[in-house]
Amino acid sequence: MKCTRCKAKAEVHLRAHNAGFCRPCYLGYFQRHVERAVDREKMFSKDDHILVAVSGGKDSLALWDVLVGLGYRTTGLYLGLGIGGYSDRSRETVEAFARNRELPLVVRTLADEGPGLAVPDVAASTRRVPCAACGAMKRHFFDAAAHEGSFDVLATGHNLDDEAARLLGNVLRWQRDHLARQRPVLQPSHPKFVRKVKPLYLLSEYETAVYAFMRGIEYVVEECPNAEGATQLVYKDALNRLEAASPGTKQAFVKEFLRNAQSLFADDAARGVPGECQQCGMPAYGAICSFCALVREVETKRARRAAAAAEHAGA
Ligand code: AMP
Ligand code: FES
Ligand code: ZN
């Protein structure tokens, strides 16, 4: 196959777009795609300071790389979740990426926060599945880091496969409130929140993997060992089968939802303006925010367990 742009030998074939690209033209295509999404959805401008949440995986590192290439002002944010060797390797990968390109990076380690908030410990103390604990803490620390560093925008590496799988899950259960918030740009509902954006929302996992490979980006290939994945991976697998039978299905699913249906759910997101958490000062709908409620639960349950253990030892 020949490159759709320059007729050289193509290195990648994108069935969904019925196009092929040689390496330089593919890199140009990817960069232009991100630039257009950023402009079309008014995600941010060259004046904004963007906090890019980087996990060490291909999507978020490809995102950081492309934003730097486009001349945006960025800082990386890595959260050390405390998930054993997986977190250690992810951190090393992100640190090497930032060091080699002399990019600013903020690292926060959950085990060192509050009473010790490594994901496996929080999950065990509260008997939550790790991913539920992890999701709540990521949300909080993304918001807190963006606020503390006075950033204008928080960008994540969610790609088309992530968005399509999430949409499928939300539609299968008609989760109106989740559908109301499934957008590539979320405007802040409080001055202490920043805008949240997903510039890769229409680029597939395959496309970001090819970009990362062609740019020589070293990334962590292994996925988080926790089971979150389980349902999400089943949805991704189902969507991949549909995509194989009918290329372009994932794009159409997400794009047409956003174009034709998303606004029908938008009212469900109108929870009003949040107040501020009495404990940490971040936005909250109740007296304390859901993160502080989680921390209290961890502390209470740990104390109860320690007391029971002491009693047992004394008996
Ligand atoms: P995931 O929820 O693991 O699919 O990740 C979605 C996006 O969240 C990634 O593309 C990153 O932008 C961000 N992210 C996930 N894990 C981390 C982490 N440990 N530190 C910083 N950002 C992360
Ligand atoms: Fe959060 Fe796996 S990344 S539990
Ligand atoms: Zn709080």
Side-chain angles (χ1 to χ4, degrees):
M1 182 175 193
K2 288 196 168 142
C3 173
T4 311
R5 269 178 184 274
C6 75
K7 308 296 172 214
K9 189 172 174 319
E11 241 184 272
V12 224
H13 179 203
L14 303 180
R15 285 183 69 207
H17 302 280
N18 196 18
F21 292 110
C22 66
R23 191 171 291 211
C25 289
Y26 182 77
L27 293 172
Y29 150 82
F30 191 93
Q31 198 181 45
R32 254 189 322 278
H33 181 111
V34 174
E35 196 173 20
R36 281 201 203 127
V38 167
D39 291 346
R40 186 182 59 242
E41 302 297 328
K42 300 189 175 54
M43 292 185 179
F44 42 75
S45 73
K46 295 268 157 78
D47 297 331
D48 288 324
H49 193 178
I50 306 152
L51 186 62
V52 187
V54 277
S55 62
K58 62 184 179 324
D59 305 301
S60 45
L61 289 180
L63 172 64
W64 199 5
D65 182 85
V66 78
L67 293 183
V68 170
L70 286 167
Y72 289 106
R73 199 149 61 96
T74 60
T75 291
L77 167 66
Y78 173 74
L79 291 184
L81 304 171
I83 307 175
Y86 165 73
S87 288
D88 297 338
R89 288 186 285 279
S90 306
R91 179 184 173 142
E92 284 158 19
T93 305
V94 170
E95 285 180 338
F97 181 95
R99 197 171 46 243
N100 294 338
R101 291 162 179 79
E102 297 184 16
L103 296 171
L105 173 68
V106 175
V107 174
R108 284 183 84 156
T109 305
L110 299 198
D112 300 338
E113 300 283 346
L117 295 173
V119 167
D121 298 341
V122 171
S125 337
T126 62
R127 296 189 199 280
R128 276 183 173 74
V129 287
C131 297
C134 176
M137 290 195 292
K138 272 188 199 153
R139 266 192 302 281
H140 171 79
F141 286 106
F142 286 175
D143 288 331
H147 173 61
E148 286 161 20
S150 302
F151 289 90
D152 300 294
V153 193
L154 175 89
T156 53
H158 293 93
N159 61 34
L160 176 64
D161 293 61
D162 298 325
E163 293 305 295
R166 180 170 162 207
L167 179 57
L168 183 58
N170 288 342
V171 163
L172 288 175
R173 291 186 177 72
W174 290 111
Q175 285 171 304
R176 299 186 59 101
D177 50 335
H178 292 191
L179 289 163
R181 293 179 52 78
Q182 182 160 1
R183 268 178 282 165
V185 179
L186 275 182
Q187 297 297 347
S189 57
H190 186 282
K192 286 187 179 173
F193 279 152
V194 300
R195 191 182 319 134
K196 291 183 184 157
V197 302
K198 302 173 188 174
L200 306 184
Y201 77 112
L202 289 179
L203 285 161
S204 69
E205 200 170 301
Y206 175 70
E207 287 169 292
T208 60
V210 171
Y211 178 85
F213 169 76
M214 286 183 175
R215 291 281 298 152
I217 296 173
E218 305 250 353
Y219 61 87
V220 176
V221 178
E222 66 188 293
E223 300 276 347
C224 167
N226 292 322
E228 159 164 50
T231 349
Q232 207 69 357
L233 288 183
V234 173
Y235 295 153
K236 283 191 176 174
D237 186 46
L239 285 158
N240 282 337
R241 285 196 224 173
L242 293 168
E243 181 74 23
S246 175
T249 299
K250 280 182 225 173
Q251 264 246 27
F253 186 42
V254 171
K255 224 170 158 172
E256 298 310 321
F257 160 71
L258 292 170
R259 197 185 348 233
N260 298 314
Q262 207 280 330
S263 63
L264 303 175
F265 299 97
D267 282 351
D268 293 51
R271 288 203 284 167
V273 180
E276 288 186 4
C277 172
Q278 288 169 2
Q279 190 106 15
C280 73
M282 286 300 281
Y285 285 96
I288 62 169
C289 71
S290 48
F291 170 75
C292 288
L294 178 67
V295 172
R296 270 194 198 173
E297 189 185 334
V298 170
E299 285 170 332
T300 316
K301 293 200 170 147
R302 273 187 200 160
R304 215 178 284 158
R305 226 161 279 162
E311 201 172 299
H312 189 76

